[in-house]
Structure formats: structure tokens, C-alpha cells
Amino acid sequence: MLEGTLVDLVPFEDDFAIYLETWMNEEAWFRAHVWERREPHTEDDVKKYIENMEKNERGGLIGFQAKNGDPIGALIFDHEWTRVRKAEVRVVVGDSRYEGADEALDGLLMLVRYCFETRNLHRLDAVALPFHETWIEHLRRAGFVHEGTLRQHIRWDGDYVDLEMFGLLQSEWPGYVQKVAELSLQPSDIEPKPKPEKKEQKEAQPS
Amino acid sequence: MLSGLLVDLVPFTREWYQEKMHAYWNNESRLWATMGECMPISRASIARIIEERAQGRARGYSGVHFMIRTKDGVTIGNIGLNWVDYHSRCGYLGAWIGEEGYWGGGYGTDALLLVVEYAFDWLDLRRLALGTMALNVRAQRNVEKCGFRLEGRERQATLVNGEWLDALTYGMLRGEWPGRETLIERLGLREKAAQRYAIQEE
Ligand SMILES: CC(C)(COP(=O)(O)OP(=O)(O)OC[C@H]1O[C@@H](n2cnc3c(N)ncnc32)[C@H](O)[C@@H]1OP(=O)(O)O)[C@@H](O)C(=O)NCCC(=O)NCCS
């Protein structure tokens, strides 16, 4: 476990894997991935996705949860470009009650911390749909700089919408500890949700 | 085949795969086409890249690529759509003239006009995008002349000869495209072609 200020980073397994079957079919996932076609993800798709991310040498999938253990969502970095030391980052706030909350911001800060302070990346890219204001606000608070607008780049809900591009350089990152001190994060005191129902184990093969 | 004034865009040939690809991936042009990569590449690696591309096509890879050939039959490079998102109707362009002697002669512009027309009028795309690095002024001039607008500047997004450089993204919407004929006139391509091939014929 990697301990943050309002959230902790944990392996993406157990309850997270169960929640992902729901999360991967919800708005937060589609928005974070700019996933315009939003085909339904079956249980198998979800399993395969987790497996692929386990094996992915240019990316990673990390769970993040509130200090009381309540799972919030997924922190993702991907498409790491070794030569240039850059990668894309996304935060999926699976439990929508945390959308815009400082827990979600701390998730982003912890992801940036990992990418810069452990993985030694040089630059991080992030994209945002223009109407995803909570995410844009979090990117700005984390220090990301707006670097451009891809005009009418994405088909979205009957229209063609812009895509906002953001970037953050390692040299601009003051370090997690200092960044958190500047931001004075506030916990949102959201009630932890009940544990998800464990799926029935497949019956043992008759011998 | 798409027929232009200085060049034609034609399907890839065996000569391309066996000779040209190896040549271009090992000459000066590579650094410009790949935003700074310059490692020498063996024929075996090229063969693997070709194999990977063929597999990609089987999995539904959406790119469309042409070889650029001058009107007098010299293969000088390639151009096309590296990737097409048919859902959002956006295509990503890429061009690579691998023969240095042909840079800056209008061949890239003639080829780009053909591909843009093809993408809008035949593939029915509504937006085109492309990327280059800040150092590549020739490519920037090339695409700006044809109507692309600078949309993004990712800071220090590539490393070239030890220096961090910005990556630029350009875009053009179909409504902004004045049409190939208009641009041929505006850019004086007919005169350029007449001059180029008249000299040859003398
Ligand atoms: C980029 C490329 C496709 C452009 O094709 P091209 O035939 O060289 O381009 P054109 O001659 O049509 O247009 C280039 C323009 O830039 C100008 N130019 C050329 N070199 C220049 C330079 N060093 N600085 C500023 N302008 C330059 C040319 O004069 C011309 O403008 P003009 O018509 O107003 O005179 C080609 O040069 C190429 O493939 N280069 C190597 C690989 C590469 O860079 N690929 C693109 C990666 S994004």
C-alpha cells in the first residue's frame, strides 16, 4: 500500500475487480477514456482488461481508496514512451460520490507522485472533455498546464466536441509533500459503501 | 492511384518493402519522420515491422498508405492516414519523403492535397489531424500552406540530439478546406510542375 493524504493506493484486485464490472460501463469510465463508442463491457472484457494491464510494461492500473478503506476508483498511466520518458495519466472516479472531491484530487497527486518520483518520468500528458469541469479543475490544481484544444475531435452524444490537452513536466512538480502542503486537502467524509457481494464460486469440477 | 501535378500516389511495391524502407529508416530523414529517433535498423528489424503491420491489418488496422512517386517514375516516399477513427470521423496524417534531394520542392504539398481530398471526399472524414516537432519547420510550412491550423503545443514532448523539443498538433475541419483546385491555384503548383518537368524534357 502507498499512503497518501486522503487516499491510499492498493493493488487492483478483490473488491476493485468486482466494482470494475460496473465502473467500466459507467460515465466516469467513458469520460476518462474519451471512449466515444461506449460498447458494453462484459465480465470477460473486464477480466481481460485487468489481465492486460497486469502484463502492460508501458502502463499500470492502480486502485485507490479512502482512508477508511472505501474503494474510490482507478489510477491509470499508459503508453509510456521510454525514449522520451512520458506517459498519459487518467483517473476514473468509479464511485461517483467522490467526483470532484479532494479524495479524487489526492488520487491524481499520488499518481503523479508515482510517475515522477518513483518511475522518473519527464512529462505527463492528460486529456479532458471540455465539460468535465471537476477533472479540469483537479488537473489545474495539480499543476498541469493547458497546452491546446483539438477542435471537434470526438463524437459525443450526438455532437462533435473538442478535446483539451494538458501537460505537466517533472521540473514543474514541487514534490508530493510540498504540493499537498500548498493545497490543504479536505476529506469529504463520505460514508463507506457496503462491501460488494462476492460472486459465487464456480462449482468444483466433479472428480 | 491518385494523380497529382508533381506526383502520383500509388500502392506499395516489393521494391518499396525491400529497398526503400531500409534506406529511409537508416538515412537522415528518419530523425524528422519519427520526432528524433535515429538508431540504425537492420533488414531483419524492417521485416519484423512489415510483419507486425500485416498482422495489424488483419485485426482491423484502419490506416491507408500510399507510395509517393514523381511523374517521371521515381519513388521518393510515402504518405497516408496512419490511423482513422471512423466513429469520430477523424484521420491522422503522416508523410515521409525519404530522399533528401526532393525536400522543399513542392512534392509534399502536392501529395498532401491529394490525401486531404481523398480523406474528405471519398472517406467522408470531417476532421484531419497530424503531429510534428517544433524543429521541423519544413513540415510546419508544408501543412500550414495547405490550411492546417496549429491546435496544440505539448512542451518538451520529444528529445532530439539531447535537447527537449515541443510537439505540435495541427488540425483541419472539412469546412475549412477550400478544395484542392483552389489550393493548386493559390500555391502556384501548376507553374511549379510545368517548370519541373519542362526542364527535364529539354
Ligand atoms: C515534411 C515533408 C513531407 C514536406 O514535403 P516537401 O516536399 O519537402 O514540402 P514542400 O516543398 O511542399 O513545402 C515545404 C515548404 O517549407 C519550406 N521550407 C523548406 N525547408 C525549410 C526550412 N528549413 N525552413 C523553413 N521553410 C522551409 C519550403 O520552401 C516550402 O515552402 P514554400 O512552398 O512556401 O517555398 C518532407 O519534407 C519530408 O518528408 N521530410 C522528411 C520527413 C518528415 O519530416 N516528415 C514529416 C514528419 S511530421
Side-chain angles (χ1 to χ4, degrees):
Chain A
M1 186 161 90
L2 287 176
E3 289 188 33
T5 309
L6 300 181
V7 299
D8 296 321
L9 275 45
V10 296
F12 206 94
E13 58 194 1
D14 303 332
D15 289 356
F16 282 89
I18 297 171
Y19 279 126
L20 195 61
E21 288 175 14
T22 316
W23 293 346
M24 261 183 100
N25 287 296
E26 289 179 340
E27 197 59 25
W29 183 272
F30 298 135
R31 244 180 356 207
H33 288 83
V34 194
W35 187 250
E36 68 274 54
R37 280 158 309 198
R38 47 181 74 199
E39 302 101 325
H41 290 116
T42 63
E43 283 170 41
D44 281 350
D45 294 336
V46 174
K47 229 175 102 199
K48 180 138 283 144
Y49 173 77
I50 295 176
E51 260 172 41
N52 285 342
M53 289 305 282
E54 288 283 344
K55 286 186 256 169
N56 186 353
E57 282 171 17
R58 290 163 191 252
L61 172 67
I62 307 165
F64 73 113
Q65 60 189 28
K67 287 286 169 185
N68 57 23
D70 195 26
I72 299 173
L75 306 175
I76 299 164
F77 67 97
D78 207 353
H79 302 121
E80 183 174 325
W81 183 5
T82 320
R83 189 174 73 74
V84 175
R85 291 197 286 122
K86 79 187 192 81
E88 298 165 14
V89 294
R90 309 177 194 283
V91 175
V92 178
V93 183
D95 182 340
S96 60
R97 297 176 303 161
Y98 291 94
E99 182 68 43
D102 279 2
E103 281 82 358
L105 172 57
D106 195 32
L108 172 61
L109 299 175
M110 285 295 285
L111 179 59
V112 172
R113 175 193 213 176
Y114 171 72
C115 288
F116 285 152
E117 298 176 33
T118 299
R119 217 168 169 88
N120 193 25
L121 295 184
H122 167 75
R123 186 196 140 90
L124 297 175
D125 305 340
V127 293
L129 289 163
F131 44 81
H132 195 184
E133 283 150 17
T134 45
W135 171 235
I136 291 175
E137 172 71 11
H138 284 175
L139 285 172
R140 289 195 193 282
R141 286 178 73 194
F144 280 76
V145 175
H146 185 240
E147 296 181 325
T149 302
L150 305 182
R151 296 168 306 146
Q152 302 182 29
H153 194 67
I154 300 288
R155 177 76 183 168
W156 200 266
D157 196 11
D159 208 352
Y160 293 93
V161 302
D162 297 345
L163 191 63
E164 305 297 345
M165 305 163 70
F166 292 85
L168 178 63
L169 303 177
Q170 194 179 21
S171 59
E172 293 166 339
W173 177 247
Y176 177 80
V177 174
Q178 193 185 323
K179 191 73 201 176
V180 163
E182 286 167 18
L183 289 171
S184 67
L185 302 175
Q186 299 301 320
S188 52
D189 296 323
I190 290 167
E191 279 291 306
K193 46 191 169 297
K195 285 251 171 204
E197 272 179 45
K198 284 274 180 295
K199 297 219 291 196
E200 280 176 37
Q201 295 292 314
K202 284 240 172 72
E203 291 199 4
Q205 295 285 321
S207 51
Chain B
M1 181 169 95
L2 303 177
S3 181
L5 297 168
L6 284 154
V7 299
D8 292 324
L9 303 188
V10 300
F12 288 89
T13 57
R14 186 165 300 127
E15 172 219 9
W16 170 270
Y17 287 117
Q18 288 174 357
E19 313 293 333
K20 299 290 184 181
M21 245 176 121
H22 186 256
Y24 301 169
W25 284 61
N26 284 295
N27 71 20
E28 162 84 359
S29 71
R30 171 132 201 252
L31 182 124
W32 298 93
T34 62
M35 304 230 284
E37 180 57 86
C38 64
M39 191 173 106
I41 291 192
S42 65
R43 286 183 200 283
S45 300
I46 296 283
R48 199 165 53 237
I49 291 167
I50 292 169
E51 182 56 30
E52 279 166 12
R53 287 188 179 176
Q55 285 171 6
R57 203 149 292 132
R59 287 196 305 264
Y61 169 68
S62 59
V64 184
H65 300 274
F66 300 94
M67 223 167 64
I68 307 176
R69 186 179 279 166
T70 64
K71 285 287 179 182
D72 45 9
V74 185
T75 301
I76 59 170
N78 70 307
I79 189 164
L81 296 150
N82 290 337
W83 183 54
V84 181
D85 178 346
Y86 282 105
H87 186 88
S88 293
R89 291 170 64 198
C90 175
Y92 294 80
L93 295 165
W96 184 345
I97 295 178
E99 315 282 344
E100 214 177 315
Y102 285 85
W103 291 350
Y107 301 93
T109 298
D110 195 35
L112 184 58
L113 296 184
L114 287 169
V115 171
V116 171
E117 180 177 60
Y118 171 75
F120 286 146
D121 292 357
W122 293 97
L123 300 185
D124 199 21
L125 301 184
R126 59 185 304 288
R127 169 180 164 79
L128 294 171
L130 63 92
T132 189
M133 55 180 177
L135 189 66
N136 201 342
V137 184
R138 193 182 303 110
Q140 289 158 46
R141 175 90 192 105
N142 172 227
V143 303
E144 282 166 5
K145 276 195 310 183
C146 296
F148 283 83
R149 291 198 204 163
L150 182 62
E151 294 184 333
R153 173 181 290 272
E154 290 170 80
R155 298 159 309 137
Q156 303 190 18
T158 191
L159 186 76
V160 181
N161 296 328
E163 271 186 63
W164 292 110
L165 289 176
D166 297 350
L168 311 181
T169 304
Y170 282 87
M172 175 160 51
L173 300 173
R174 189 167 172 163
E176 294 162 359
W177 166 242
R180 184 163 162 263
E181 274 308 316
T182 306
L183 279 168
I184 285 174
E185 289 305 317
R186 191 182 298 165
L187 302 173
L189 273 187
R190 230 177 285 282
E191 295 72 31
K192 216 173 232 178
Q195 211 178 24
R196 161 72 170 77
Y197 291 108
I199 290 167
Q200 284 255 313
E201 273 158 26
E202 271 164 23

